[in-house]
Amino acid sequence: TSQRFYYAFEGRNIRKPTVEYTEEEYSAIFTTNFESCYHLCQLCQPLLHKADGASLVNISSVAAVTPIRSGTLYSATKVCFN
C-alpha cells in the first residue's frame, strides 16, 4: 500500500483588542480560519469513506489552548478544531 500526505495551511489574523474588531474583520477571520477548513473536511469525506484506513488530521494552533497575545478571534477560530 502507498501512503500519501497532503496538507493545506491557511490563516488570517488581525491583532487588536477584542472590542475593536469590525463585523467585516470578524467575518474574514472566521471565514478563512474556520469555515475554509470545515468545508475542506466536507469535501474530503467521500474520499475518506472510500479509502481503507484513511485519516484527515487538522492541526490548529497553540493559540487555541493558551493565551499568546495573538488576538481573541484568531484563538477562537483555532479552538473550533480542538
Side-chain angles (χ1 to χ4, degrees):
T1 102
S2 66
Q3 292 182 335
R4 295 185 181 158
F5 297 92
Y6 300 98
Y7 66 94
F9 172 78
E10 186 62 46
R12 176 180 283 199
N13 192 19
I14 302 169
R15 294 180 184 199
K16 62 183 354 182
T18 303
V19 297
E20 294 181 10
Y21 286 105
T22 66
E23 188 174 328
E24 291 79 18
E25 291 168 334
Y26 172 91
S27 180
I29 292 170
F30 265 86
T31 298
T32 302
N33 295 355
F34 174 70
E35 291 180 27
S36 62
C37 189
Y38 177 78
H39 293 301
L40 179 61
C41 291
Q42 285 182 311
L43 292 171
C44 290
Q45 193 280 333
L47 300 173
L48 292 169
H49 185 71
K50 290 179 184 178
D52 183 33
S55 297
L56 181 63
V57 178
N58 290 307
I59 300 172
S60 64
S61 170
V62 69
V65 295
T66 187
I68 60 169
R69 300 182 138 199
S70 64
T72 55
L73 290 183
Y74 178 81
S75 295
T77 63
K78 298 306 178 178
V79 79
C80 290
F81 289 101
N82 289 0

